[in-house]
Amino acid sequence: MLLGATDPALAHAILMDGYPLPNGTMPTGEASIRLRFNSRIDIARSRLTLVMPDGAERRLQPRPGPSPDMMEADTPIAPGAGQLHWQVLAIDGHITRGVIPFTAMAR
Ligand SMILES: [Cu+2]
């Protein structure tokens, strides 16, 4: 862990893939958010916040995904422009964060 921490490219959690994708679209209604990072993350110390079209914020309950580099959460999605704010703790103890803007449309 001490040696690994000297390489920032390997150390910090970087978003690799997700649903929704940044600037992507998704249907309204119940959704399963899924984010995949380049390294294993600590779910218990990671956060997901949904900012809805009216500006209201909803703290989501992250859960582990199918692999240790994934985080998932279920939430209803309202129509309009929303944002997903993520903050994750990588196993080296470093926190990274980002914003995923998306648009939700009724099916
Ligand atoms: Cu790091």
Side-chain angles (χ1 to χ4, degrees):
M1 198 163 180
L2 289 171
L3 293 172
T6 60
D7 185 348
L10 293 174
H12 305 322
I14 297 166
L15 184 65
M16 302 299 283
D17 196 8
Y19 178 78
L21 284 168
N23 302 308
T25 60
M26 63 191 306
T28 56
E30 200 63 34
S32 289
I33 306 295
R34 175 182 284 183
L35 304 182
R36 184 171 64 83
F37 297 88
N38 66 324
S39 69
R40 187 174 168 175
I41 56 172
D42 183 342
I43 297 289
R45 295 195 171 122
S46 298
R47 291 184 186 181
L48 260 184
T49 305
L50 176 67
V51 181
M52 292 176 277
D54 64 1
E57 295 188 6
R58 180 187 298 140
R59 181 89 172 264
L60 306 184
Q61 286 290 327
R63 65 166 183 264
S67 60
D69 57 355
M70 288 187 185
M71 176 165 65
E72 295 182 335
D74 293 330
T75 182
I77 298 290
Q83 290 182 338
L84 204 55
H85 292 239
W86 58 266
Q87 174 178 310
V88 300
L89 177 68
I91 46 170
D92 70 344
H94 293 155
I95 290 172
T96 50
R97 51 180 70 86
V99 178
I100 300 172
F102 66 89
T103 304
M105 294 178 290
R107 299 169 213 249

